[in-house]
Amino acid sequence: MTTNGAIDVTSIADLSAERKELLGRVAEVAKECAGRADTYDRTARFPAEDFDALFAAGLHAPAVPRDHGGLGIGPHGGDALTLWLMTRELAKADLSLGRCWEGHANSLGLLDAFASAEQKERWFAGVVRRGEKWVAWSGEPQAPKPGERRRFGTGLTKVDGGWVLNGSKVFATSATGAQWAILFVNTAGPGGAKHAEADPDALLMLACDLSDPSVTVDDSWWDPIGMRATVSHLVEFRDTFLSEENVIGEPGAFIRDGWKTAFVPHYAASFLGAAEGAYEYAVEYVMRQGKAADPYVQHRVGSMAVNVESGLLWLKHVARMWDSGRLDEARMAGSRARHVIEHLALETVDNCVRACGARSLVRPSPVERILRDLTFYVRHDNDDHVLATIGRATLGETHDATFYKP
Ligand SMILES: Cc1cc2nc3c(=O)[nH]c(=O)nc-3n(C[C@H](O)[C@H](O)[C@H](O)COP(=O)(O)OP(=O)(O)OC[C@H]3O[C@@H](n4cnc5c(N)ncnc54)[C@H](O)[C@@H]3O)c2cc1C
């Protein structure tokens, strides 16, 4: 631990010199991004300059294999921890940026796992040379909330040479920033990947060029408490043609191969980054105010330090399983980590507010934004269902490690 309370990640994670240098570069860019986070949040704009800075620093293609010019990191590339630590650093600066970044990195991992050699050649060149951004969208919740008149969902029609898509998706992260989306769409009807009841084989992954005029963004839907700069808008598709050349992998491969389980600890890395942002702010705050001798402050700071370190150890533990090919163990351990880190992160932010007081929630304090963002983002999956799934697996019961369906 350093004197300002920051956790020394490199010593916990046993990183090579090359990985330390890489994460050092990420930390430099993240510092810049932290300075822009408030503006992106207030204006609910995609953090485009942050992505430009990542591109300029040679960090934009994390899960693209090295022989295609990328960094070759992530669970599929045999180095999960470096990607998760990178995400944690960016999320510490701005959790919305962390989410957009995760979506980009996860999509590149999917392309590496499932795209054909010709598709990789085509799409990775765009990422590496032109800084193109990707995202993956399921987002078709079917149960309307009170007062919600609009229904979300897409329908696919088979035509010569491809598919025609109609309908809408919500929670479409990076909707006004990304150039490409991997659409999770279902030949059996609305529901995408997460909200469909159909046979997994009905689920297709289709790459969509978002500059196609048949794809439009309705930014009136996205007015959330937090994560505003993720611009997770409602996106509409009107007779959008998606050619056979844009079909990624075999139908159902995403679910059959349990791919979302590789993303789950990645979400946790973002939660942890947000917690670290609050923790480091709290240490500086109470020291500046001369309150370090207060026993209650000491308790709060002690708890935050232990939480953040525990979260890092969990990530390292799960990453080691991915990287040593213990995939079955890694999948469930990722959910355990996600469950624990959600609670560690929320408690850390609460401790920060209790130690610092009301002014820590007055802008321009970043804690005000971190609290809103984290409260919202942990709803990405339902922790009750995550925990029930862990229980079912422990008891040898049938369970859904991908979407935690009851
Ligand atoms: C900031 C943010 C960014 C996101 N970005 C993306 C993205 O880029 N791509 C993407 O695909 N998705 C994204 N998501 C969407 C996310 O994956 C979920 O689809 C979304 O949270 C669903 O909205 P909901 O929780 O309101 O609805 P629901 O899914 O309807 O869930 C509401 C509640 O009901 C529970 N529930 C669901 N089914 C049952 C049941 N049968 N019985 C009892 N309870 C049930 C749920 O667990 C949840 O607690 C994002 C979410 C957030 C918060």
Side-chain angles (χ1 to χ4, degrees), residues 76-127:
H76 191 252
D79 184 357
L81 189 61
T82 304
L83 175 64
W84 297 343
L85 293 179
M86 191 173 175
T87 299
R88 164 197 148 273
E89 194 69 49
L90 296 173
K92 185 163 87 173
D94 178 353
L95 188 53
S96 283
L97 168 64
R99 167 70 204 125
C100 297
W101 167 258
E102 254 178 45
H104 174 65
N106 291 342
S107 302
L108 300 180
L110 281 177
L111 295 181
D112 187 28
F114 295 116
S116 67
E118 181 279 320
Q119 289 173 327
K120 286 184 193 180
E121 203 61 55
R122 186 156 42 108
W123 291 324
F124 286 158
V127 176

Side-chain angles (χ1 to χ4, degrees), residues 49-244:
E49 290 152 284
D50 296 351
F51 273 89
D52 290 347
L54 286 161
F55 181 60
L59 299 167
H60 181 73
V64 171
R66 284 174 185 236
D67 55 3
H68 282 276
L71 298 175
I73 57 174
H76 191 252
D79 184 357
L81 189 61
T82 304
L83 175 64
W84 297 343
L85 293 179
M86 191 173 175
T87 299
R88 164 197 148 273
E89 194 69 49
L90 296 173
K92 185 163 87 173
D94 178 353
L95 188 53
S96 283
L97 168 64
R99 167 70 204 125
C100 297
W101 167 258
E102 254 178 45
H104 174 65
N106 291 342
S107 302
L108 300 180
L110 281 177
L111 295 181
D112 187 28
F114 295 116
S116 67
E118 181 279 320
Q119 289 173 327
K120 286 184 193 180
E121 203 61 55
R122 186 156 42 108
W123 291 324
F124 286 158
V127 176
V128 172
R129 293 194 205 129
R130 298 187 292 279
E132 288 178 354
K133 295 167 274 292
W134 282 72
V135 75
W137 295 338
S138 169
E140 301 184 24
Q142 293 298 294
K145 70 178 186 186
E148 192 167 70
R149 287 186 297 279
R150 230 175 142 157
R151 299 303 299 269
F152 314 116
T154 57
L156 269 178
T157 311
K158 185 79 187 87
V159 295
D160 264 359
W163 298 86
V164 170
L165 184 69
N166 274 290
S168 62
K169 285 181 176 288
V170 284
F171 290 102
T173 287
S174 303
T176 51
Q179 284 72 41
W180 286 89
I182 298 176
L183 303 179
F184 292 105
V185 279
N186 217 293
T187 53
K194 185 171 181 174
H195 295 94
E197 301 300 331
D199 189 301
D201 286 349
L203 183 68
L204 303 186
M205 289 186 279
L206 302 178
C208 180
D209 177 349
L210 297 174
S211 67
D212 189 306
S214 68
V215 181
T216 54
V217 174
D218 173 355
D219 65 4
S220 64
W221 182 79
W222 184 246
D223 190 11
I225 178 174
M227 301 299 276
R228 298 179 68 82
T230 64
V231 293
S232 300
H233 294 302
L234 187 157
V235 174
E236 284 179 293
F237 305 90
R238 292 205 184 88
D239 289 328
T240 303
F241 175 69
L242 298 153
S243 89
E244 288 292 355

